[in-house]
PDB file of all heavy atoms in Angstrom:
ATOM      1  N   THR T 390     211.419  56.334 -47.433  1.00 42.00           N
ATOM      2  CA  THR T 390     212.033  57.422 -46.703  1.00 42.00           C
ATOM      3  C   THR T 390     210.991  58.074 -45.820  1.00 42.00           C
ATOM      4  O   THR T 390     209.841  57.678 -45.785  1.00 42.00           O
ATOM      5  CB  THR T 390     212.545  58.510 -47.667  1.00 42.00           C
ATOM      6  OG1 THR T 390     211.409  59.148 -48.222  1.00 42.00           O
ATOM      7  CG2 THR T 390     213.381  57.919 -48.764  1.00 42.00           C
ATOM      8  N   ASN T 428     205.477  55.712 -35.319  1.00 94.00           N
ATOM      9  CA  ASN T 428     205.086  55.265 -36.656  1.00 94.00           C
ATOM     10  C   ASN T 428     203.702  54.622 -36.659  1.00 94.00           C
ATOM     11  O   ASN T 428     203.010  54.629 -37.664  1.00 94.00           O
ATOM     12  CB  ASN T 428     206.085  54.228 -37.199  1.00 94.00           C
ATOM     13  CG  ASN T 428     207.394  54.828 -37.688  1.00 94.00           C
ATOM     14  OD1 ASN T 428     208.447  54.247 -37.498  1.00 94.00           O
ATOM     15  ND2 ASN T 428     207.326  55.993 -38.304  1.00 94.00           N
ATOM     16  N   GLU T 502     198.089  37.657 -34.093  1.00 96.00           N
ATOM     17  CA  GLU T 502     197.005  37.032 -33.337  1.00 96.00           C
ATOM     18  C   GLU T 502     196.601  37.891 -32.138  1.00 96.00           C
ATOM     19  O   GLU T 502     195.432  37.946 -31.754  1.00 96.00           O
ATOM     20  CB  GLU T 502     197.453  35.662 -32.815  1.00 96.00           C
ATOM     21  CG  GLU T 502     197.664  34.610 -33.900  1.00 96.00           C
ATOM     22  CD  GLU T 502     198.537  33.456 -33.427  1.00 96.00           C
ATOM     23  OE1 GLU T 502     199.044  33.496 -32.278  1.00 96.00           O
ATOM     24  OE2 GLU T 502     198.719  32.516 -34.225  1.00 96.00           O
ATOM     25  N   ARG T 523     215.404  43.188 -21.626  1.00 96.00           N
ATOM     26  CA  ARG T 523     216.727  43.768 -21.848  1.00 96.00           C
ATOM     27  C   ARG T 523     217.297  43.321 -23.191  1.00 96.00           C
ATOM     28  O   ARG T 523     217.020  42.212 -23.649  1.00 96.00           O
ATOM     29  CB  ARG T 523     217.667  43.287 -20.734  1.00 96.00           C
ATOM     30  CG  ARG T 523     217.195  43.701 -19.356  1.00 96.00           C
ATOM     31  CD  ARG T 523     217.545  42.664 -18.296  1.00 96.00           C
ATOM     32  NE  ARG T 523     216.897  42.983 -17.022  1.00 96.00           N
ATOM     33  CZ  ARG T 523     215.651  42.567 -16.707  1.00 96.00           C
ATOM     34  NH1 ARG T 523     214.949  41.816 -17.544  1.00 96.00           N
ATOM     35  NH2 ARG T 523     215.122  42.902 -15.558  1.00 96.00           N
ATOM     36  N   GLU T 524     218.130  44.176 -23.802  1.00 91.00           N
ATOM     37  CA  GLU T 524     218.655  43.885 -25.135  1.00 91.00           C
ATOM     38  C   GLU T 524     219.281  42.493 -25.220  1.00 91.00           C
ATOM     39  O   GLU T 524     219.053  41.773 -26.184  1.00 91.00           O
ATOM     40  CB  GLU T 524     219.711  44.929 -25.553  1.00 91.00           C
ATOM     41  CG  GLU T 524     219.133  46.284 -25.943  1.00 91.00           C
ATOM     42  CD  GLU T 524     219.022  47.248 -24.767  1.00 91.00           C
ATOM     43  OE1 GLU T 524     218.942  46.791 -23.611  1.00 91.00           O
ATOM     44  OE2 GLU T 524     219.030  48.470 -25.011  1.00 91.00           O
ATOM     45  N   ASN T 545     212.657  33.526 -38.808  1.00 91.00           N
ATOM     46  CA  ASN T 545     213.532  32.450 -39.260  1.00 91.00           C
ATOM     47  C   ASN T 545     214.269  31.873 -38.051  1.00 91.00           C
ATOM     48  O   ASN T 545     215.064  32.573 -37.433  1.00 91.00           O
ATOM     49  CB  ASN T 545     214.514  33.069 -40.268  1.00 91.00           C
ATOM     50  CG  ASN T 545     215.511  32.079 -40.821  1.00 91.00           C
ATOM     51  OD1 ASN T 545     215.502  30.902 -40.452  1.00 91.00           O
ATOM     52  ND2 ASN T 545     216.350  32.560 -41.709  1.00 91.00           N
ATOM     53  N   TYR T 562     203.233  47.825 -35.684  1.00 97.00           N
ATOM     54  CA  TYR T 562     202.700  47.594 -37.038  1.00 97.00           C
ATOM     55  C   TYR T 562     201.424  46.764 -36.974  1.00 97.00           C
ATOM     56  O   TYR T 562     200.419  47.109 -37.601  1.00 97.00           O
ATOM     57  CB  TYR T 562     203.782  46.881 -37.844  1.00 97.00           C
ATOM     58  CG  TYR T 562     203.364  46.332 -39.184  1.00 97.00           C
ATOM     59  CD1 TYR T 562     203.115  47.178 -40.261  1.00 97.00           C
ATOM     60  CD2 TYR T 562     203.249  44.958 -39.383  1.00 97.00           C
ATOM     61  CE1 TYR T 562     202.752  46.665 -41.488  1.00 97.00           C
ATOM     62  CE2 TYR T 562     202.896  44.438 -40.613  1.00 97.00           C
ATOM     63  CZ  TYR T 562     202.642  45.295 -41.662  1.00 97.00           C
ATOM     64  OH  TYR T 562     202.276  44.780 -42.885  1.00 97.00           O
ATOM     65  N   GLU T 563     201.433  45.686 -36.203  1.00 97.00           N
ATOM     66  CA  GLU T 563     200.236  44.845 -36.117  1.00 97.00           C
ATOM     67  C   GLU T 563     199.124  45.562 -35.346  1.00 97.00           C
ATOM     68  O   GLU T 563     197.953  45.360 -35.637  1.00 97.00           O
ATOM     69  CB  GLU T 563     200.553  43.491 -35.475  1.00 97.00           C
ATOM     70  CG  GLU T 563     201.390  42.572 -36.362  1.00 97.00           C
ATOM     71  CD  GLU T 563     200.631  41.988 -37.561  1.00 97.00           C
ATOM     72  OE1 GLU T 563     199.443  42.309 -37.764  1.00 97.00           O
ATOM     73  OE2 GLU T 563     201.244  41.208 -38.308  1.00 97.00           O
ATOM     74  N   LYS T 566     197.630  47.858 -37.893  1.00 95.00           N
ATOM     75  CA  LYS T 566     196.842  47.069 -38.842  1.00 95.00           C
ATOM     76  C   LYS T 566     195.503  46.658 -38.220  1.00 95.00           C
ATOM     77  O   LYS T 566     194.480  46.661 -38.896  1.00 95.00           O
ATOM     78  CB  LYS T 566     197.607  45.803 -39.251  1.00 95.00           C
ATOM     79  CG  LYS T 566     198.558  46.018 -40.410  1.00 95.00           C
ATOM     80  CD  LYS T 566     199.388  44.763 -40.674  1.00 95.00           C
ATOM     81  CE  LYS T 566     198.538  43.607 -41.168  1.00 95.00           C
ATOM     82  NZ  LYS T 566     199.363  42.370 -41.333  1.00 95.00           N
ATOM     83  N   ARG T 575     196.002  55.311 -51.580  1.00 85.00           N
ATOM     84  CA  ARG T 575     195.678  54.205 -52.478  1.00 85.00           C
ATOM     85  C   ARG T 575     195.805  54.707 -53.908  1.00 85.00           C
ATOM     86  O   ARG T 575     196.242  55.835 -54.130  1.00 85.00           O
ATOM     87  CB  ARG T 575     194.265  53.699 -52.187  1.00 85.00           C
ATOM     88  CG  ARG T 575     194.179  52.871 -50.910  1.00 85.00           C
ATOM     89  CD  ARG T 575     194.702  51.470 -51.136  1.00 85.00           C
ATOM     90  NE  ARG T 575     194.476  50.628 -49.959  1.00 85.00           N
ATOM     91  CZ  ARG T 575     194.913  49.376 -49.851  1.00 85.00           C
ATOM     92  NH1 ARG T 575     195.591  48.802 -50.824  1.00 85.00           N
ATOM     93  NH2 ARG T 575     194.689  48.681 -48.766  1.00 85.00           N
TER      94      ARG T 575
ATOM     95  N   THR Z 762     215.333  39.728 -27.508  1.00 42.00           N
ATOM     96  CA  THR Z 762     216.760  39.729 -27.758  1.00 42.00           C
ATOM     97  C   THR Z 762     217.076  38.693 -28.810  1.00 42.00           C
ATOM     98  O   THR Z 762     216.209  38.002 -29.309  1.00 42.00           O
ATOM     99  CB  THR Z 762     217.544  39.362 -26.501  1.00 42.00           C
ATOM    100  OG1 THR Z 762     217.304  37.979 -26.235  1.00 42.00           O
ATOM    101  CG2 THR Z 762     217.122  40.188 -25.326  1.00 42.00           C
ATOM    102  N   ASN Z 800     216.363  37.678 -40.800  1.00 94.00           N
ATOM    103  CA  ASN Z 800     215.326  37.369 -39.809  1.00 94.00           C
ATOM    104  C   ASN Z 800     214.129  36.658 -40.433  1.00 94.00           C
ATOM    105  O   ASN Z 800     213.435  35.903 -39.759  1.00 94.00           O
ATOM    106  CB  ASN Z 800     214.812  38.657 -39.153  1.00 94.00           C
ATOM    107  CG  ASN Z 800     215.753  39.238 -38.117  1.00 94.00           C
ATOM    108  OD1 ASN Z 800     215.878  40.453 -38.016  1.00 94.00           O
ATOM    109  ND2 ASN Z 800     216.420  38.402 -37.344  1.00 94.00           N
ATOM    110  N   GLU Z 874     198.855  42.590 -48.059  1.00 96.00           N
ATOM    111  CA  GLU Z 874     198.109  42.238 -49.269  1.00 96.00           C
ATOM    112  C   GLU Z 874     199.022  41.650 -50.343  1.00 96.00           C
ATOM    113  O   GLU Z 874     198.624  40.775 -51.106  1.00 96.00           O
ATOM    114  CB  GLU Z 874     197.431  43.491 -49.851  1.00 96.00           C
ATOM    115  CG  GLU Z 874     196.317  44.041 -48.989  1.00 96.00           C
ATOM    116  CD  GLU Z 874     195.987  45.504 -49.315  1.00 96.00           C
ATOM    117  OE1 GLU Z 874     196.705  46.115 -50.152  1.00 96.00           O
ATOM    118  OE2 GLU Z 874     195.049  46.032 -48.714  1.00 96.00           O
ATOM    119  N   ARG Z 895     216.300  55.440 -52.115  1.00 96.00           N
ATOM    120  CA  ARG Z 895     217.346  56.113 -51.330  1.00 96.00           C
ATOM    121  C   ARG Z 895     216.784  56.552 -49.968  1.00 96.00           C
ATOM    122  O   ARG Z 895     215.599  56.891 -49.872  1.00 96.00           O
ATOM    123  CB  ARG Z 895     217.821  57.345 -52.094  1.00 96.00           C
ATOM    124  CG  ARG Z 895     218.408  57.009 -53.451  1.00 96.00           C
ATOM    125  CD  ARG Z 895     218.111  58.077 -54.497  1.00 96.00           C
ATOM    126  NE  ARG Z 895     218.511  57.619 -55.828  1.00 96.00           N
ATOM    127  CZ  ARG Z 895     217.681  56.928 -56.633  1.00 96.00           C
ATOM    128  NH1 ARG Z 895     216.434  56.667 -56.259  1.00 96.00           N
ATOM    129  NH2 ARG Z 895     218.101  56.526 -57.820  1.00 96.00           N
ATOM    130  N   GLU Z 896     217.650  56.611 -48.960  1.00 91.00           N
ATOM    131  CA  GLU Z 896     217.207  56.936 -47.605  1.00 91.00           C
ATOM    132  C   GLU Z 896     216.385  58.228 -47.561  1.00 91.00           C
ATOM    133  O   GLU Z 896     215.354  58.291 -46.904  1.00 91.00           O
ATOM    134  CB  GLU Z 896     218.398  57.076 -46.652  1.00 91.00           C
ATOM    135  CG  GLU Z 896     219.042  55.748 -46.252  1.00 91.00           C
ATOM    136  CD  GLU Z 896     220.172  55.318 -47.164  1.00 91.00           C
ATOM    137  OE1 GLU Z 896     220.193  55.764 -48.332  1.00 91.00           O
ATOM    138  OE2 GLU Z 896     221.045  54.554 -46.731  1.00 91.00           O
ATOM    139  N   ASN Z 917     201.098  55.587 -39.266  1.00 91.00           N
ATOM    140  CA  ASN Z 917     200.510  56.810 -38.747  1.00 91.00           C
ATOM    141  C   ASN Z 917     200.860  57.963 -39.696  1.00 91.00           C
ATOM    142  O   ASN Z 917     202.030  58.309 -39.829  1.00 91.00           O
ATOM    143  CB  ASN Z 917     201.117  57.040 -37.356  1.00 91.00           C
ATOM    144  CG  ASN Z 917     200.626  58.297 -36.677  1.00 91.00           C
ATOM    145  OD1 ASN Z 917     199.837  59.039 -37.238  1.00 91.00           O
ATOM    146  ND2 ASN Z 917     201.098  58.509 -35.473  1.00 91.00           N
ATOM    147  N   TYR Z 934     208.867  40.425 -42.789  1.00 97.00           N
ATOM    148  CA  TYR Z 934     207.927  39.875 -41.801  1.00 97.00           C
ATOM    149  C   TYR Z 934     206.662  39.363 -42.473  1.00 97.00           C
ATOM    150  O   TYR Z 934     206.207  38.245 -42.211  1.00 97.00           O
ATOM    151  CB  TYR Z 934     207.614  40.994 -40.806  1.00 97.00           C
ATOM    152  CG  TYR Z 934     206.486  40.728 -39.839  1.00 97.00           C
ATOM    153  CD1 TYR Z 934     206.641  39.836 -38.787  1.00 97.00           C
ATOM    154  CD2 TYR Z 934     205.270  41.401 -39.972  1.00 97.00           C
ATOM    155  CE1 TYR Z 934     205.605  39.623 -37.889  1.00 97.00           C
ATOM    156  CE2 TYR Z 934     204.237  41.198 -39.084  1.00 97.00           C
ATOM    157  CZ  TYR Z 934     204.409  40.305 -38.042  1.00 97.00           C
ATOM    158  OH  TYR Z 934     203.376  40.090 -37.160  1.00 97.00           O
ATOM    159  N   GLU Z 935     206.091  40.146 -43.377  1.00 97.00           N
ATOM    160  CA  GLU Z 935     204.871  39.707 -44.060  1.00 97.00           C
ATOM    161  C   GLU Z 935     205.166  38.558 -45.022  1.00 97.00           C
ATOM    162  O   GLU Z 935     204.322  37.696 -45.222  1.00 97.00           O
ATOM    163  CB  GLU Z 935     204.189  40.871 -44.786  1.00 97.00           C
ATOM    164  CG  GLU Z 935     203.557  41.898 -43.852  1.00 97.00           C
ATOM    165  CD  GLU Z 935     202.283  41.403 -43.141  1.00 97.00           C
ATOM    166  OE1 GLU Z 935     201.874  40.249 -43.319  1.00 97.00           O
ATOM    167  OE2 GLU Z 935     201.706  42.214 -42.388  1.00 97.00           O
ATOM    168  N   LYS Z 938     205.329  35.553 -42.809  1.00 96.00           N
ATOM    169  CA  LYS Z 938     203.969  35.204 -42.387  1.00 96.00           C
ATOM    170  C   LYS Z 938     203.199  34.517 -43.512  1.00 96.00           C
ATOM    171  O   LYS Z 938     202.453  33.561 -43.278  1.00 96.00           O
ATOM    172  CB  LYS Z 938     203.195  36.468 -41.973  1.00 96.00           C
ATOM    173  CG  LYS Z 938     203.418  36.870 -40.532  1.00 96.00           C
ATOM    174  CD  LYS Z 938     202.741  38.203 -40.229  1.00 96.00           C
ATOM    175  CE  LYS Z 938     201.228  38.132 -40.314  1.00 96.00           C
ATOM    176  NZ  LYS Z 938     200.596  39.463 -40.090  1.00 96.00           N
ATOM    177  N   ARG Z 947     205.494  27.301 -29.512  1.00 84.00           N
ATOM    178  CA  ARG Z 947     204.129  27.528 -29.028  1.00 84.00           C
ATOM    179  C   ARG Z 947     204.084  27.066 -27.587  1.00 84.00           C
ATOM    180  O   ARG Z 947     205.114  26.723 -26.997  1.00 84.00           O
ATOM    181  CB  ARG Z 947     203.134  26.746 -29.897  1.00 84.00           C
ATOM    182  CG  ARG Z 947     202.900  27.404 -31.251  1.00 84.00           C
ATOM    183  CD  ARG Z 947     201.961  28.594 -31.125  1.00 84.00           C
ATOM    184  NE  ARG Z 947     201.629  29.157 -32.431  1.00 84.00           N
ATOM    185  CZ  ARG Z 947     200.884  30.236 -32.601  1.00 84.00           C
ATOM    186  NH1 ARG Z 947     200.399  30.891 -31.568  1.00 84.00           N
ATOM    187  NH2 ARG Z 947     200.616  30.690 -33.798  1.00 84.00           N
TER     188      ARG Z 947
END
Side-chain angles (χ1 to χ4, degrees):
Chain T
T390 70
N428 284 142
E502 292 160 356
R523 300 147 189 88
E524 285 91 336
N545 179 359
Y562 170 72
E563 289 288 2
K566 274 174 66 184
R575 285 282 187 184
Chain Z
T762 70
N800 283 143
E874 292 160 355
R895 300 145 189 89
E896 285 91 336
N917 179 359
Y934 170 73
E935 290 288 2
K938 274 174 66 183
R947 284 282 185 183

